[in-house]
Amino acid sequence: AVVSMIKQPANFETWLRYHRDSLGVTRFYLRVEDTPSLEALLSSPRWAGLVEAEFHSRGERDYFEQMDRQSGHIASVIPRARAAGLTHLLHIDDDELVYCAAGLPPLFRLLSAAGVERPNVHMQNVEALLPAPDCDNPFAAVRSFRHFPTQYCSYTNGKSFGVLAAAGLRSHGPHHFRSAATCGGGGAGSLDLPAGVAVVLHYESATYAKWRTKYLELARRHGDAPEVLSRVPFAFYRQSLSSARKLLHAEAEVRLRTPAAAERMRAAEEGAVRLWSKWKVEPEGLPPPPPPAEMVPFDPAKHTGGGAAAGAGRKKRRKDEVEDLSAGPRQMLATIQASGWAEWEAVHLLQPGDEPTPLLHAMHILSTHFLLVDLLEPHKISAGPDFCARVGEASRRLLGGVTLCPFTWPELLRMVLLARAVGQAPKKRTVALNAMLASGHGSASVAYGAAAALGGGHTVSVWNAGPSTRAAQRAVAGDDEEGADDEDGDVMGLGDLSEP
């Protein structure tokens, strides 16, 4: 089943049809806000049996209250989905599609393998880039996506399926699920799906009209207050709010018929279009897309049941499958070793803003992999024939099962550095790291709170870190929103990271 809170969605029947036909969704639980026009569609014969919709009138958007309403909606749906005999609950928004490049069998196999021990089956996300500003249906027209999370406009921490059989299942922010057995933190309660199995395609602000409506509403609600901007974690959101406020001021001048009002309105509108296009339109020079593959509608008979023999087969496959923890480091090391002079020269010639070459990407991921392990267990890994296996095993054990990849390394490195800064004692570091892994993002307040709860006198002063002290204090005051970030970069100074 899908659970979602929606408001004035674009191309919504495309969204419904795609998840029904391509993902095998058999029930949609929707909280529909300020969109009464959807009632006719959702009550029509083709959707009435699949959709349970609640209609609400909210008025103005509020950036900071949305997650509370989402959590409340998910909490109300979980018992209903269980009662309906459903097995998994997927939380996504109306501007997201779940794409399975290899088809449904690999996804269903991993969902079954997760079990109640791993109630949070997690996917990475990529961000859509529009082929043209006047795109009518982004779901059908988009062909390119941002895949470097450091360049994203919005969140980088993916979305998840929740395993409904897990006791005490609940949402953990908009991106994760937890259960009664996994609420204490750590990554042991999660199964990370490879991007080749399932990935979230995020079409955030995918048309200029939708972007304009959204941010004008937010600007009217939150005004010019600097404390609001300081709490918004994404540069694109902050720039969009500033642009929307200029539009509102220009509209006010037009209503008052002030001198040069029309010119200011035109300048504000052109500036808004430039901002949106800079973030949302695909770059020039992309190769032509491949011909579209034929979509095969979901057939429940091919993906369910199977009897005792099929169950025994699945059990045997799971028993025979032994995970190779060295695979990731080995792949990166093989890329580095196979590179010639031309590849090394290409790395040297890169300019700021260029996408990394495969060699630079491999060097970055492998060195970060090794760095994380060495920060947590210094001097335990050395060169030798088992280097990759030892790095892979140690990272799986120390990072709670979270996979290190282009989507996760920045936040994992941030978490490890925060854990080291918060506590000298290994136990405090472990508790701080597990608490951040459970929360889904590197947070000074989460790390400090978890370490301080143990008591004792082993806390390093991360609060005397020069200019970064302000960021740390802001974090303690309230950076627990999912995906929160800090204006000053890291919430600590590098001086606090040295080993005593």
Side-chain angles (χ1 to χ4, degrees):
V2 161
V3 57
S4 186
M5 187 173 78
I6 64 177
K7 178 173 181 174
Q8 300 166 1
N11 310 111
F12 191 56
E13 191 162 17
T14 300
W15 184 88
L16 287 168
R17 190 184 308 113
Y18 174 86
H19 287 109
R20 179 195 64 188
D21 295 344
S22 297
L23 198 64
V25 172
T26 58
R27 190 70 55 87
F28 296 88
Y29 296 98
L30 306 178
R31 176 186 168 97
V32 184
E33 295 189 347
D34 300 322
T35 322
S37 58
L38 278 183
E39 189 165 2
L41 170 67
L42 300 181
S43 61
S44 64
R46 62 184 179 276
W47 296 113
L50 293 175
V51 175
E52 292 187 20
E54 305 168 1
F55 289 83
H56 299 265
S57 178
R58 289 287 310 175
E60 291 181 326
R61 292 178 187 263
D62 189 295
Y63 180 82
F64 303 105
E65 294 178 359
Q66 178 175 322
M67 286 191 292
D68 293 336
R69 300 199 305 280
Q70 285 176 327
S71 296
H73 178 51
I74 296 170
S76 71
V77 163
I78 288 173
R80 289 151 54 192
R82 284 177 175 148
L86 297 162
T87 59
H88 295 82
L89 186 64
L90 166 65
H91 176 232
I92 52 172
D93 295 327
D94 58 42
D95 60 356
E96 296 168 335
L97 302 178
V98 173
Y99 174 61
C100 300
L104 288 178
L107 172 63
F108 284 11
R109 186 160 58 247
L110 288 175
L111 288 175
S112 298
V116 297
E117 298 83 9
R118 291 181 287 184
N120 183 66
V121 184
H122 190 66
M123 298 171 286
Q124 301 157 0
N125 65 289
V126 294
E127 274 193 355
L129 292 169
L130 277 293
D134 55 354
C135 179
D136 290 330
N137 187 342
F139 292 143
V142 164
R143 62 176 185 161
S144 58
F145 296 82
R146 279 194 184 92
H147 62 286
F148 288 102
T150 54
Q151 300 173 6
Y152 284 8
C153 302
S154 184
Y155 72 87
T156 63
N157 35 2
K159 289 294 179 72
S160 298
F161 295 88
V163 178
L164 288 166
L169 185 72
R170 59 178 176 82
S171 66
H172 188 73
H175 305 283
H176 299 277
F177 287 89
R178 292 287 183 266
S179 69
T182 64
C183 62
S190 295
L191 172 64
D192 292 316
L193 296 178
V197 173
V199 67
V200 177
L201 310 181
H202 189 195
Y203 299 78
E204 200 273 346
S205 296
T207 66
Y208 175 72
K210 191 168 177 63
W211 171 87
R212 193 181 192 278
T213 299
K214 173 181 177 178
Y215 285 97
L216 283 177
E217 288 184 9
L218 288 171
R220 290 190 189 100
R221 171 68 179 85
H222 296 295
D224 296 320
E227 63 271 15
V228 172
L229 277 182
S230 68
R231 293 177 61 195
V232 175
F234 309 113
F236 172 68
Y237 281 23
R238 294 192 295 270
Q239 293 175 21
S240 296
L241 282 170
S242 297
S243 181
R245 280 196 289 271
K246 292 177 182 177
L247 286 171
L248 290 178
H249 292 323
E251 288 177 353
E253 291 193 27
V254 169
R255 288 194 299 271
L256 295 173
R257 300 181 181 180
T258 60
E263 180 62 29
R264 291 193 181 94
M265 186 71 230
R266 182 167 58 254
E269 197 73 60
E270 290 174 353
V273 171
R274 283 196 303 271
L275 173 68
W276 178 86
S277 299
K278 180 185 79 170
W279 285 94
K280 291 299 178 180
V281 177
E282 69 180 29
E284 297 179 357
L286 292 180
E294 181 181 357
M295 186 179 75
V296 180
F298 172 73
D299 182 357
K302 294 181 179 179
H303 299 287
T304 57
R314 285 193 297 270
K315 184 181 295 185
K316 184 179 188 301
R317 282 197 301 273
R318 286 197 297 270
K319 183 177 180 180
D320 292 342
E321 290 170 359
V322 178
E323 187 175 8
D324 182 4
L325 298 179
S326 71
R330 278 193 296 105
Q331 182 182 1
M332 299 299 104
L333 187 60
T335 299
I336 295 170
Q337 292 174 332
S339 296
W341 172 252
E343 286 79 12
W344 287 96
E345 188 174 37
V347 170
H348 178 70
L349 295 175
L350 282 175
Q351 299 297 314
D354 291 348
E355 288 200 358
T357 65
L359 172 59
L360 183 59
H361 167 79
M363 293 168 61
H364 196 175
I365 295 299
L366 183 62
S367 60
T368 306
H369 213 142
F370 177 52
L371 172 64
L372 291 177
V373 171
D374 197 56
L375 284 170
L376 293 170
E377 289 187 345
H379 316 305
K380 293 293 182 68
I381 305 293
S382 58
D386 60 347
F387 170 80
C388 293
R390 294 178 68 185
V391 168
E393 183 279 326
S395 66
R396 171 58 60 89
R397 172 170 46 82
L398 296 169
L399 300 177
V402 178
T403 302
L404 190 141
C405 67
F407 294 88
T408 59
W409 76 259
E411 203 68 14
L412 285 173
L413 180 57
R414 179 181 174 85
M415 291 178 187
V416 170
L417 293 175
L418 277 167
R420 279 175 53 88
V422 163
Q424 296 179 26
K427 185 174 182 180
K428 284 205 171 187
R429 290 182 179 180
T430 300
V431 168
L433 179 61
N434 285 341
M436 287 184 285
L437 288 169
S439 72
H441 69 284
S443 163
S445 62
V446 171
Y448 183 76
L454 287 177
H458 301 291
T459 301
V460 178
S461 175
V462 315
W463 318 116
N464 299 317
S468 297
T469 304
R470 295 189 301 276
Q473 291 168 340
R474 283 202 309 273
V476 172
D479 77 343
D480 286 338
E481 292 91 348
E482 288 275 344
D485 205 349
D486 303 287
E487 291 288 331
D488 299 327
D490 286 327
V491 298
M492 74 208 106
L494 291 178
D496 289 316
L497 302 181
S498 58
E499 190 73 17

